PDB file of all heavy atoms in Angstrom:
ATOM      1  N   GLU A 111       8.681 -10.352  -3.466  1.00  0.00           N
ATOM      2  CA  GLU A 111       9.378 -10.590  -2.285  1.00  0.00           C
ATOM      3  C   GLU A 111       9.266 -11.905  -1.692  1.00  0.00           C
ATOM      4  O   GLU A 111      10.319 -12.477  -1.303  1.00  0.00           O
ATOM      5  CB  GLU A 111       8.878  -9.515  -1.230  1.00  0.00           C
ATOM      6  CG  GLU A 111       9.087  -8.064  -1.686  1.00  0.00           C
ATOM      7  CD  GLU A 111       8.164  -6.976  -1.127  1.00  0.00           C
ATOM      8  OE1 GLU A 111       6.937  -7.223  -1.276  1.00  0.00           O
ATOM      9  OE2 GLU A 111       8.550  -6.076  -0.405  1.00  0.00           O
ATOM     10  N   LEU A 112       8.011 -12.392  -1.634  1.00  0.00           N
ATOM     11  CA  LEU A 112       7.809 -13.798  -1.114  1.00  0.00           C
ATOM     12  C   LEU A 112       7.317 -14.661  -2.216  1.00  0.00           C
ATOM     13  O   LEU A 112       7.511 -15.952  -2.243  1.00  0.00           O
ATOM     14  CB  LEU A 112       6.756 -13.763  -0.028  1.00  0.00           C
ATOM     15  CG  LEU A 112       7.233 -12.885   1.277  1.00  0.00           C
ATOM     16  CD1 LEU A 112       6.181 -12.881   2.284  1.00  0.00           C
ATOM     17  CD2 LEU A 112       8.497 -13.574   1.810  1.00  0.00           C
ATOM     18  N   TYR A 113       6.584 -14.111  -3.257  1.00  0.00           N
ATOM     19  CA  TYR A 113       5.936 -14.855  -4.262  1.00  0.00           C
ATOM     20  C   TYR A 113       6.375 -14.423  -5.669  1.00  0.00           C
ATOM     21  O   TYR A 113       6.321 -13.262  -5.957  1.00  0.00           O
ATOM     22  CB  TYR A 113       4.421 -14.846  -4.074  1.00  0.00           C
ATOM     23  CG  TYR A 113       3.969 -15.037  -2.591  1.00  0.00           C
ATOM     24  CD1 TYR A 113       3.543 -13.966  -1.828  1.00  0.00           C
ATOM     25  CD2 TYR A 113       4.112 -16.346  -2.092  1.00  0.00           C
ATOM     26  CE1 TYR A 113       3.291 -14.263  -0.495  1.00  0.00           C
ATOM     27  CE2 TYR A 113       3.806 -16.573  -0.787  1.00  0.00           C
ATOM     28  CZ  TYR A 113       3.373 -15.527  -0.011  1.00  0.00           C
ATOM     29  OH  TYR A 113       3.069 -15.742   1.299  1.00  0.00           O
ATOM     30  N   THR A 114       6.827 -15.377  -6.478  1.00  0.00           N
ATOM     31  CA  THR A 114       7.492 -14.985  -7.710  1.00  0.00           C
ATOM     32  C   THR A 114       6.849 -15.878  -8.848  1.00  0.00           C
ATOM     33  O   THR A 114       5.850 -16.522  -8.668  1.00  0.00           O
ATOM     34  CB  THR A 114       9.048 -15.178  -7.681  1.00  0.00           C
ATOM     35  OG1 THR A 114       9.276 -16.510  -7.296  1.00  0.00           O
ATOM     36  CG2 THR A 114       9.658 -14.237  -6.654  1.00  0.00           C
ATOM     37  N   ASN A 115       7.422 -15.836 -10.025  1.00  0.00           N
ATOM     38  CA  ASN A 115       6.812 -16.373 -11.180  1.00  0.00           C
ATOM     39  C   ASN A 115       6.605 -17.931 -11.165  1.00  0.00           C
ATOM     40  O   ASN A 115       5.845 -18.448 -11.905  1.00  0.00           O
ATOM     41  CB  ASN A 115       7.570 -16.011 -12.461  1.00  0.00           C
ATOM     42  CG  ASN A 115       7.432 -14.588 -12.813  1.00  0.00           C
ATOM     43  OD1 ASN A 115       6.411 -13.989 -12.572  1.00  0.00           O
ATOM     44  ND2 ASN A 115       8.394 -14.029 -13.564  1.00  0.00           N
ATOM     45  N   ASP A 116       7.423 -18.577 -10.245  1.00  0.00           N
ATOM     46  CA  ASP A 116       7.146 -19.997 -10.127  1.00  0.00           C
ATOM     47  C   ASP A 116       5.921 -20.332  -9.336  1.00  0.00           C
ATOM     48  O   ASP A 116       5.387 -21.471  -9.404  1.00  0.00           O
ATOM     49  CB  ASP A 116       8.314 -20.691  -9.569  1.00  0.00           C
ATOM     50  CG  ASP A 116       8.601 -20.257  -8.075  1.00  0.00           C
ATOM     51  OD1 ASP A 116       8.054 -19.210  -7.652  1.00  0.00           O
ATOM     52  OD2 ASP A 116       9.414 -20.938  -7.420  1.00  0.00           O
ATOM     53  N   ASN A 117       5.290 -19.385  -8.732  1.00  0.00           N
ATOM     54  CA  ASN A 117       4.070 -19.531  -7.917  1.00  0.00           C
ATOM     55  C   ASN A 117       3.510 -18.158  -7.527  1.00  0.00           C
ATOM     56  O   ASN A 117       3.860 -17.729  -6.397  1.00  0.00           O
ATOM     57  CB  ASN A 117       4.265 -20.526  -6.665  1.00  0.00           C
ATOM     58  CG  ASN A 117       2.902 -20.887  -6.090  1.00  0.00           C
ATOM     59  OD1 ASN A 117       1.886 -20.575  -6.556  1.00  0.00           O
ATOM     60  ND2 ASN A 117       3.070 -21.725  -4.984  1.00  0.00           N
ATOM     61  N   LEU A 118       2.791 -17.606  -8.334  1.00  0.00           N
ATOM     62  CA  LEU A 118       2.347 -16.183  -8.131  1.00  0.00           C
ATOM     63  C   LEU A 118       0.834 -16.060  -7.909  1.00  0.00           C
ATOM     64  O   LEU A 118       0.025 -16.113  -8.795  1.00  0.00           O
ATOM     65  CB  LEU A 118       2.719 -15.306  -9.370  1.00  0.00           C
ATOM     66  CG  LEU A 118       2.533 -13.835  -9.180  1.00  0.00           C
ATOM     67  CD1 LEU A 118       3.304 -13.254  -8.053  1.00  0.00           C
ATOM     68  CD2 LEU A 118       2.933 -13.115 -10.489  1.00  0.00           C
ATOM     69  N   PRO A 119       0.407 -16.041  -6.607  1.00  0.00           N
ATOM     70  CA  PRO A 119      -1.063 -16.045  -6.414  1.00  0.00           C
ATOM     71  C   PRO A 119      -1.650 -14.715  -6.661  1.00  0.00           C
ATOM     72  O   PRO A 119      -1.038 -13.576  -6.514  1.00  0.00           O
ATOM     73  CB  PRO A 119      -1.141 -16.314  -4.951  1.00  0.00           C
ATOM     74  CG  PRO A 119       0.179 -15.819  -4.347  1.00  0.00           C
ATOM     75  CD  PRO A 119       1.077 -16.025  -5.400  1.00  0.00           C
ATOM     76  N   SER A 120      -2.936 -14.661  -7.152  1.00  0.00           N
ATOM     77  CA  SER A 120      -3.653 -13.504  -7.336  1.00  0.00           C
ATOM     78  C   SER A 120      -4.150 -12.834  -6.059  1.00  0.00           C
ATOM     79  O   SER A 120      -4.049 -11.639  -5.898  1.00  0.00           O
ATOM     80  CB  SER A 120      -4.842 -13.728  -8.316  1.00  0.00           C
ATOM     81  OG  SER A 120      -5.552 -12.636  -8.585  1.00  0.00           O
ATOM     82  N   ILE A 121      -4.620 -13.726  -5.238  1.00  0.00           N
ATOM     83  CA  ILE A 121      -5.147 -13.226  -3.886  1.00  0.00           C
ATOM     84  C   ILE A 121      -4.661 -14.301  -2.847  1.00  0.00           C
ATOM     85  O   ILE A 121      -4.934 -15.434  -2.969  1.00  0.00           O
ATOM     86  CB  ILE A 121      -6.733 -13.219  -3.767  1.00  0.00           C
ATOM     87  CG1 ILE A 121      -7.252 -12.361  -4.918  1.00  0.00           C
ATOM     88  CG2 ILE A 121      -7.177 -12.699  -2.478  1.00  0.00           C
ATOM     89  CD1 ILE A 121      -8.768 -12.385  -5.112  1.00  0.00           C
ATOM     90  N   LEU A 122      -3.985 -13.823  -1.879  1.00  0.00           N
ATOM     91  CA  LEU A 122      -3.437 -14.788  -0.831  1.00  0.00           C
ATOM     92  C   LEU A 122      -3.743 -14.267   0.526  1.00  0.00           C
ATOM     93  O   LEU A 122      -3.539 -13.057   0.802  1.00  0.00           O
ATOM     94  CB  LEU A 122      -1.847 -14.918  -0.994  1.00  0.00           C
ATOM     95  CG  LEU A 122      -1.265 -15.872  -0.016  1.00  0.00           C
ATOM     96  CD1 LEU A 122      -0.201 -16.679  -0.661  1.00  0.00           C
ATOM     97  CD2 LEU A 122      -0.615 -15.032   1.191  1.00  0.00           C
ATOM     98  N   ILE A 123      -4.163 -15.123   1.440  1.00  0.00           N
ATOM     99  CA  ILE A 123      -4.317 -14.782   2.812  1.00  0.00           C
ATOM    100  C   ILE A 123      -3.272 -15.588   3.656  1.00  0.00           C
ATOM    101  O   ILE A 123      -3.268 -16.841   3.474  1.00  0.00           O
ATOM    102  CB  ILE A 123      -5.761 -15.003   3.411  1.00  0.00           C
ATOM    103  CG1 ILE A 123      -6.704 -14.065   2.615  1.00  0.00           C
ATOM    104  CG2 ILE A 123      -5.900 -14.855   4.844  1.00  0.00           C
ATOM    105  CD1 ILE A 123      -8.164 -14.234   2.998  1.00  0.00           C
TER     106      ILE A 123
END
Side-chain angles (χ1 to χ4, degrees):
E111 294 156 303
L112 299 174
Y113 311 108
T114 54
N115 286 336
D116 63 344
N117 190 3
L118 186 60
S120 179
I121 306 168
L122 179 142
I123 294 177

